Amino acid sequence: MDDNFKKIIPFTTPYRSHVIWNVIFNILYALFSTLSFIALIPMMNVLFDTSEKSEQNGPQFALILVIGIVIITFLFKNLFNFLASNHLLHLKNGVLKDLRNAMYVKIINLPVSYYSEKRKGDIMARMLGDVNEVQNSFFSILELIVKEPMTIIFTLIAMISISFKLTIFVFIFIPVAGILISKIGKSLRTKSERVQAENG
């Protein structure tokens, strides 16, 4: 782990409850994000008349039921995303406040000779810009560590449960498509650089 991140981690200790809740809600968001797309499958089956329909209630009831499930899953997905963002915001603001307070105490305790050698603009830049940059980069990584991997894991589980063969095909097709796209991109970039050089 980078030394700069190790220095920031102690500032998150007073707000560890927000960290825990953010992780929990991000996992639930990833779960319901996957379920929201899986819930679309029964709706498509009802719409295109490929599923067995109840003779008592009819296709209208089946469609309303499926639409209700889709709405509920999307609602929970957005709710958990909001709750995760809310706890992350509390964590960000708390750590930012503590970082600035620590820097303020450090600057106040510096000797007067320091200020004769350093510019005030540099000190203000560290107090404002650098702290904000550290805060944004650290917490974006914190969120991506949980949300994106869990979304990938739940999506893979859903894909394998729906069709194992199709999942294998996707894993074979994506690298091949990626290689072809990268070659086409390099070819276009080379031509574009040649045209720019000729124009220059």
Side-chain angles (χ1 to χ4, degrees), residues 27-58:
I27 292 172
L28 291 172
Y29 165 80
L31 175 62
F32 277 91
S33 180
T34 304
L35 290 176
S36 62
F37 287 103
I38 294 176
L40 294 173
I41 297 172
M43 185 176 71
M44 300 301 292
N45 290 336
V46 172
L47 287 173
F48 293 102
D49 199 24
T50 58
S51 63
E52 296 181 2
K53 298 173 183 176
S54 173
E55 295 180 359
Q56 294 180 351
N57 299 315

mmCIF file of all heavy atoms in Angstrom, residues 27-58:
data_model
loop_
_atom_site.group_PDB
_atom_site.id
_atom_site.type_symbol
_atom_site.label_atom_id
_atom_site.label_comp_id
_atom_site.label_asym_id
_atom_site.label_seq_id
_atom_site.Cartn_x
_atom_site.Cartn_y
_atom_site.Cartn_z
ATOM 1 N N ILE A 27 -22.486 -3.344 -1.211
ATOM 2 C CA ILE A 27 -22.713 -4.762 -1.539
ATOM 3 C C ILE A 27 -24.182 -4.977 -1.913
ATOM 4 O O ILE A 27 -24.491 -5.666 -2.906
ATOM 5 C CB ILE A 27 -22.302 -5.660 -0.357
ATOM 6 C CG1 ILE A 27 -20.789 -5.614 -0.149
ATOM 7 C CG2 ILE A 27 -22.758 -7.104 -0.592
ATOM 8 C CD1 ILE A 27 -20.306 -6.306 1.113
ATOM 9 N N LEU A 28 -25.084 -4.386 -1.124
ATOM 10 C CA LEU A 28 -26.518 -4.512 -1.428
ATOM 11 C C LEU A 28 -26.859 -3.830 -2.751
ATOM 12 O O LEU A 28 -27.699 -4.324 -3.517
ATOM 13 C CB LEU A 28 -27.339 -3.919 -0.288
ATOM 14 C CG LEU A 28 -27.313 -4.697 1.026
ATOM 15 C CD1 LEU A 28 -27.993 -3.905 2.128
ATOM 16 C CD2 LEU A 28 -27.974 -6.064 0.854
ATOM 17 N N TYR A 29 -26.204 -2.702 -3.029
ATOM 18 C CA TYR A 29 -26.422 -2.027 -4.313
ATOM 19 C C TYR A 29 -25.998 -2.926 -5.474
ATOM 20 O O TYR A 29 -26.707 -3.048 -6.471
ATOM 21 C CB TYR A 29 -25.641 -0.715 -4.355
ATOM 22 C CG TYR A 29 -25.523 -0.134 -5.749
ATOM 23 C CD1 TYR A 29 -26.573 0.577 -6.314
ATOM 24 C CD2 TYR A 29 -24.362 -0.326 -6.489
ATOM 25 C CE1 TYR A 29 -26.471 1.093 -7.591
ATOM 26 C CE2 TYR A 29 -24.250 0.184 -7.773
ATOM 27 C CZ TYR A 29 -25.310 0.893 -8.318
ATOM 28 O OH TYR A 29 -25.213 1.396 -9.595
ATOM 29 N N ALA A 30 -24.826 -3.563 -5.335
ATOM 30 C CA ALA A 30 -24.345 -4.458 -6.393
ATOM 31 C C ALA A 30 -25.288 -5.639 -6.586
ATOM 32 O O ALA A 30 -25.563 -6.053 -7.726
ATOM 33 C CB ALA A 30 -22.940 -4.951 -6.050
ATOM 34 N N LEU A 31 -25.812 -6.173 -5.464
ATOM 35 C CA LEU A 31 -26.746 -7.302 -5.540
ATOM 36 C C LEU A 31 -28.027 -6.905 -6.264
ATOM 37 O O LEU A 31 -28.468 -7.592 -7.203
ATOM 38 C CB LEU A 31 -27.060 -7.804 -4.134
ATOM 39 C CG LEU A 31 -28.105 -8.909 -4.023
ATOM 40 C CD1 LEU A 31 -27.659 -10.163 -4.756
ATOM 41 C CD2 LEU A 31 -28.407 -9.222 -2.561
ATOM 42 N N PHE A 32 -28.645 -5.799 -5.846
ATOM 43 C CA PHE A 32 -29.908 -5.389 -6.456
ATOM 44 C C PHE A 32 -29.702 -4.822 -7.860
ATOM 45 O O PHE A 32 -30.632 -4.835 -8.665
ATOM 46 C CB PHE A 32 -30.621 -4.372 -5.567
ATOM 47 C CG PHE A 32 -31.403 -5.015 -4.459
ATOM 48 C CD1 PHE A 32 -30.821 -5.254 -3.225
ATOM 49 C CD2 PHE A 32 -32.718 -5.408 -4.659
ATOM 50 C CE1 PHE A 32 -31.532 -5.861 -2.209
ATOM 51 C CE2 PHE A 32 -33.441 -6.015 -3.651
ATOM 52 C CZ PHE A 32 -32.844 -6.244 -2.416
ATOM 53 N N SER A 33 -28.512 -4.341 -8.158
ATOM 54 C CA SER A 33 -28.211 -3.914 -9.521
ATOM 55 C C SER A 33 -28.259 -5.101 -10.474
ATOM 56 O O SER A 33 -28.777 -5.000 -11.596
ATOM 57 C CB SER A 33 -26.830 -3.251 -9.568
ATOM 58 O OG SER A 33 -26.523 -2.827 -10.872
ATOM 59 N N THR A 34 -27.749 -6.230 -10.014
ATOM 60 C CA THR A 34 -27.814 -7.458 -10.816
ATOM 61 C C THR A 34 -29.240 -7.999 -10.875
ATOM 62 O O THR A 34 -29.723 -8.393 -11.946
ATOM 63 C CB THR A 34 -26.876 -8.525 -10.216
ATOM 64 O OG1 THR A 34 -25.551 -7.992 -10.123
ATOM 65 C CG2 THR A 34 -26.852 -9.765 -11.092
ATOM 66 N N LEU A 35 -29.924 -7.996 -9.729
ATOM 67 C CA LEU A 35 -31.294 -8.507 -9.692
ATOM 68 C C LEU A 35 -32.245 -7.670 -10.548
ATOM 69 O O LEU A 35 -33.209 -8.205 -11.111
ATOM 70 C CB LEU A 35 -31.806 -8.538 -8.245
ATOM 71 C CG LEU A 35 -31.168 -9.571 -7.317
ATOM 72 C CD1 LEU A 35 -31.703 -9.407 -5.901
ATOM 73 C CD2 LEU A 35 -31.417 -10.990 -7.827
ATOM 74 N N SER A 36 -31.975 -6.371 -10.645
ATOM 75 C CA SER A 36 -32.855 -5.496 -11.426
ATOM 76 C C SER A 36 -32.838 -5.869 -12.899
ATOM 77 O O SER A 36 -33.865 -5.760 -13.586
ATOM 78 C CB SER A 36 -32.441 -4.032 -11.241
ATOM 79 O OG SER A 36 -31.126 -3.813 -11.717
ATOM 80 N N PHE A 37 -31.689 -6.328 -13.389
ATOM 81 C CA PHE A 37 -31.626 -6.748 -14.781
ATOM 82 C C PHE A 37 -32.164 -8.164 -14.968
ATOM 83 O O PHE A 37 -32.763 -8.477 -15.996
ATOM 84 C CB PHE A 37 -30.186 -6.656 -15.294
ATOM 85 C CG PHE A 37 -29.730 -5.247 -15.507
ATOM 86 C CD1 PHE A 37 -28.890 -4.634 -14.602
ATOM 87 C CD2 PHE A 37 -30.167 -4.513 -16.602
ATOM 88 C CE1 PHE A 37 -28.481 -3.331 -14.782
ATOM 89 C CE2 PHE A 37 -29.758 -3.199 -16.794
ATOM 90 C CZ PHE A 37 -28.909 -2.612 -15.884
ATOM 91 N N ILE A 38 -31.949 -9.021 -13.954
ATOM 92 C CA ILE A 38 -32.514 -10.368 -14.039
ATOM 93 C C ILE A 38 -34.033 -10.302 -14.019
ATOM 94 O O ILE A 38 -34.718 -11.092 -14.682
ATOM 95 C CB ILE A 38 -31.984 -11.231 -12.872
ATOM 96 C CG1 ILE A 38 -30.481 -11.441 -13.018
ATOM 97 C CG2 ILE A 38 -32.703 -12.570 -12.822
ATOM 98 C CD1 ILE A 38 -29.854 -12.187 -11.862
ATOM 99 N N ALA A 39 -34.586 -9.329 -13.261
ATOM 100 C CA ALA A 39 -36.043 -9.193 -13.166
ATOM 101 C C ALA A 39 -36.672 -8.783 -14.491
ATOM 102 O O ALA A 39 -37.887 -8.951 -14.670
ATOM 103 C CB ALA A 39 -36.387 -8.168 -12.089
ATOM 104 N N LEU A 40 -35.869 -8.253 -15.404
ATOM 105 C CA LEU A 40 -36.409 -7.872 -16.721
ATOM 106 C C LEU A 40 -36.711 -9.092 -17.584
ATOM 107 O O LEU A 40 -37.525 -8.999 -18.508
ATOM 108 C CB LEU A 40 -35.421 -6.953 -17.454
ATOM 109 C CG LEU A 40 -35.187 -5.574 -16.839
ATOM 110 C CD1 LEU A 40 -34.065 -4.866 -17.580
ATOM 111 C CD2 LEU A 40 -36.466 -4.739 -16.897
ATOM 112 N N ILE A 41 -36.057 -10.219 -17.287
ATOM 113 C CA ILE A 41 -36.242 -11.420 -18.119
ATOM 114 C C ILE A 41 -37.675 -11.936 -18.064
ATOM 115 O O ILE A 41 -38.288 -12.194 -19.113
ATOM 116 C CB ILE A 41 -35.229 -12.511 -17.703
ATOM 117 C CG1 ILE A 41 -33.806 -12.017 -17.956
ATOM 118 C CG2 ILE A 41 -35.491 -13.810 -18.475
ATOM 119 C CD1 ILE A 41 -32.729 -12.932 -17.417
ATOM 120 N N PRO A 42 -38.290 -12.101 -16.866
ATOM 121 C CA PRO A 42 -39.698 -12.550 -16.849
ATOM 122 C C PRO A 42 -40.634 -11.574 -17.547
ATOM 123 O O PRO A 42 -41.608 -11.999 -18.182
ATOM 124 C CB PRO A 42 -40.029 -12.642 -15.351
ATOM 125 C CG PRO A 42 -38.723 -12.771 -14.671
ATOM 126 C CD PRO A 42 -37.759 -12.000 -15.494
ATOM 127 N N MET A 43 -40.352 -10.275 -17.455
ATOM 128 C CA MET A 43 -41.207 -9.300 -18.124
ATOM 129 C C MET A 43 -41.141 -9.463 -19.632
ATOM 130 O O MET A 43 -42.161 -9.408 -20.326
ATOM 131 C CB MET A 43 -40.800 -7.871 -17.731
ATOM 132 C CG MET A 43 -41.725 -6.808 -18.297
ATOM 133 S SD MET A 43 -41.316 -5.143 -17.746
ATOM 134 C CE MET A 43 -39.787 -4.881 -18.639
ATOM 135 N N MET A 44 -39.928 -9.688 -20.147
ATOM 136 C CA MET A 44 -39.774 -9.903 -21.584
ATOM 137 C C MET A 44 -40.465 -11.193 -22.011
ATOM 138 O O MET A 44 -41.075 -11.263 -23.096
ATOM 139 C CB MET A 44 -38.286 -9.951 -21.949
ATOM 140 C CG MET A 44 -37.515 -8.685 -21.601
ATOM 141 S SD MET A 44 -38.178 -7.201 -22.406
ATOM 142 C CE MET A 44 -37.772 -7.548 -24.106
ATOM 143 N N ASN A 45 -40.399 -12.218 -21.149
ATOM 144 C CA ASN A 45 -41.071 -13.482 -21.462
ATOM 145 C C ASN A 45 -42.589 -13.307 -21.541
ATOM 146 O O ASN A 45 -43.252 -13.870 -22.417
ATOM 147 C CB ASN A 45 -40.732 -14.541 -20.408
ATOM 148 C CG ASN A 45 -39.287 -14.991 -20.507
ATOM 149 O OD1 ASN A 45 -38.663 -14.878 -21.556
ATOM 150 N ND2 ASN A 45 -38.756 -15.495 -19.404
ATOM 151 N N VAL A 46 -43.144 -12.511 -20.613
ATOM 152 C CA VAL A 46 -44.586 -12.264 -20.628
ATOM 153 C C VAL A 46 -44.973 -11.440 -21.856
ATOM 154 O O VAL A 46 -45.973 -11.718 -22.524
ATOM 155 C CB VAL A 46 -45.017 -11.544 -19.329
ATOM 156 C CG1 VAL A 46 -46.471 -11.099 -19.422
ATOM 157 C CG2 VAL A 46 -44.828 -12.464 -18.132
ATOM 158 N N LEU A 47 -44.162 -10.423 -22.169
ATOM 159 C CA LEU A 47 -44.477 -9.553 -23.300
ATOM 160 C C LEU A 47 -44.447 -10.308 -24.623
ATOM 161 O O LEU A 47 -45.285 -10.088 -25.500
ATOM 162 C CB LEU A 47 -43.486 -8.379 -23.357
ATOM 163 C CG LEU A 47 -43.666 -7.290 -22.286
ATOM 164 C CD1 LEU A 47 -42.525 -6.293 -22.355
ATOM 165 C CD2 LEU A 47 -45.002 -6.580 -22.470
ATOM 166 N N PHE A 48 -43.469 -11.206 -24.759
ATOM 167 C CA PHE A 48 -43.331 -11.937 -26.018
ATOM 168 C C PHE A 48 -43.970 -13.318 -25.973
ATOM 169 O O PHE A 48 -43.716 -14.159 -26.837
ATOM 170 C CB PHE A 48 -41.849 -12.045 -26.399
ATOM 171 C CG PHE A 48 -41.237 -10.718 -26.742
ATOM 172 C CD1 PHE A 48 -40.440 -10.053 -25.826
ATOM 173 C CD2 PHE A 48 -41.483 -10.124 -27.965
ATOM 174 C CE1 PHE A 48 -39.882 -8.828 -26.136
ATOM 175 C CE2 PHE A 48 -40.930 -8.894 -28.280
ATOM 176 C CZ PHE A 48 -40.127 -8.247 -27.358
ATOM 177 N N ASP A 49 -44.780 -13.560 -24.935
ATOM 178 C CA ASP A 49 -45.611 -14.752 -24.858
ATOM 179 C C ASP A 49 -44.795 -16.041 -24.884
ATOM 180 O O ASP A 49 -45.149 -17.021 -25.539
ATOM 181 C CB ASP A 49 -46.616 -14.767 -26.018
ATOM 182 C CG ASP A 49 -47.785 -15.698 -25.733
ATOM 183 O OD1 ASP A 49 -48.078 -15.960 -24.555
ATOM 184 O OD2 ASP A 49 -48.397 -16.158 -26.713
ATOM 185 N N THR A 50 -43.656 -16.040 -24.140
ATOM 186 C CA THR A 50 -42.827 -17.243 -24.095
ATOM 187 C C THR A 50 -42.878 -17.936 -22.735
ATOM 188 O O THR A 50 -42.230 -18.955 -22.539
ATOM 189 C CB THR A 50 -41.355 -16.889 -24.401
ATOM 190 O OG1 THR A 50 -40.915 -15.917 -23.448
ATOM 191 C CG2 THR A 50 -41.210 -16.326 -25.804
ATOM 192 N N SER A 51 -43.635 -17.383 -21.802
ATOM 193 C CA SER A 51 -43.728 -17.996 -20.470
ATOM 194 C C SER A 51 -45.123 -18.570 -20.255
ATOM 195 O O SER A 51 -46.083 -18.180 -20.907
ATOM 196 C CB SER A 51 -43.431 -16.950 -19.384
ATOM 197 O OG SER A 51 -44.404 -15.932 -19.431
ATOM 198 N N GLU A 52 -45.201 -19.490 -19.320
ATOM 199 C CA GLU A 52 -46.490 -20.066 -18.971
ATOM 200 C C GLU A 52 -47.300 -19.066 -18.149
ATOM 201 O O GLU A 52 -46.819 -18.517 -17.172
ATOM 202 C CB GLU A 52 -46.277 -21.353 -18.168
ATOM 203 C CG GLU A 52 -45.581 -22.446 -18.968
ATOM 204 C CD GLU A 52 -45.425 -23.704 -18.153
ATOM 205 O OE1 GLU A 52 -45.892 -23.692 -16.994
ATOM 206 O OE2 GLU A 52 -44.855 -24.670 -18.650
ATOM 207 N N LYS A 53 -48.524 -18.801 -18.554
ATOM 208 C CA LYS A 53 -49.364 -17.808 -17.887
ATOM 209 C C LYS A 53 -50.467 -18.501 -17.097
ATOM 210 O O LYS A 53 -50.998 -19.522 -17.506
ATOM 211 C CB LYS A 53 -49.975 -16.864 -18.919
ATOM 212 C CG LYS A 53 -48.918 -16.069 -19.689
ATOM 213 C CD LYS A 53 -49.536 -15.290 -20.812
ATOM 214 C CE LYS A 53 -48.458 -14.567 -21.628
ATOM 215 N NZ LYS A 53 -49.002 -13.865 -22.780
ATOM 216 N N SER A 54 -50.812 -17.923 -15.992
ATOM 217 C CA SER A 54 -51.851 -18.470 -15.133
ATOM 218 C C SER A 54 -53.205 -18.331 -15.812
ATOM 219 O O SER A 54 -53.564 -17.254 -16.284
ATOM 220 C CB SER A 54 -51.836 -17.732 -13.794
ATOM 221 O OG SER A 54 -52.931 -18.146 -13.027
ATOM 222 N N GLU A 55 -53.936 -19.410 -15.876
ATOM 223 C CA GLU A 55 -55.258 -19.367 -16.504
ATOM 224 C C GLU A 55 -56.260 -18.619 -15.636
ATOM 225 O O GLU A 55 -57.239 -18.073 -16.130
ATOM 226 C CB GLU A 55 -55.743 -20.799 -16.769
ATOM 227 C CG GLU A 55 -54.883 -21.544 -17.799
ATOM 228 C CD GLU A 55 -55.413 -22.950 -18.029
ATOM 229 O OE1 GLU A 55 -56.410 -23.301 -17.363
ATOM 230 O OE2 GLU A 55 -54.840 -23.679 -18.859
ATOM 231 N N GLN A 56 -56.052 -18.618 -14.342
ATOM 232 C CA GLN A 56 -56.987 -17.933 -13.444
ATOM 233 C C GLN A 56 -56.848 -16.419 -13.526
ATOM 234 O O GLN A 56 -57.832 -15.694 -13.626
ATOM 235 C CB GLN A 56 -56.734 -18.396 -11.999
ATOM 236 C CG GLN A 56 -57.061 -19.875 -11.786
ATOM 237 C CD GLN A 56 -56.793 -20.300 -10.356
ATOM 238 O OE1 GLN A 56 -56.217 -19.550 -9.577
ATOM 239 N NE2 GLN A 56 -57.208 -21.506 -10.024
ATOM 240 N N ASN A 57 -55.605 -15.908 -13.477
ATOM 241 C CA ASN A 57 -55.390 -14.466 -13.418
ATOM 242 C C ASN A 57 -55.139 -13.821 -14.782
ATOM 243 O O ASN A 57 -55.349 -12.628 -14.939
ATOM 244 C CB ASN A 57 -54.210 -14.156 -12.486
ATOM 245 C CG ASN A 57 -54.475 -14.639 -11.077
ATOM 246 O OD1 ASN A 57 -55.554 -14.443 -10.551
ATOM 247 N ND2 ASN A 57 -53.494 -15.301 -10.474
ATOM 248 N N GLY A 58 -54.655 -14.583 -15.733
ATOM 249 C CA GLY A 58 -54.441 -14.062 -17.069
ATOM 250 C C GLY A 58 -53.102 -13.384 -17.227
ATOM 251 O O GLY A 58 -52.367 -13.144 -16.266
#
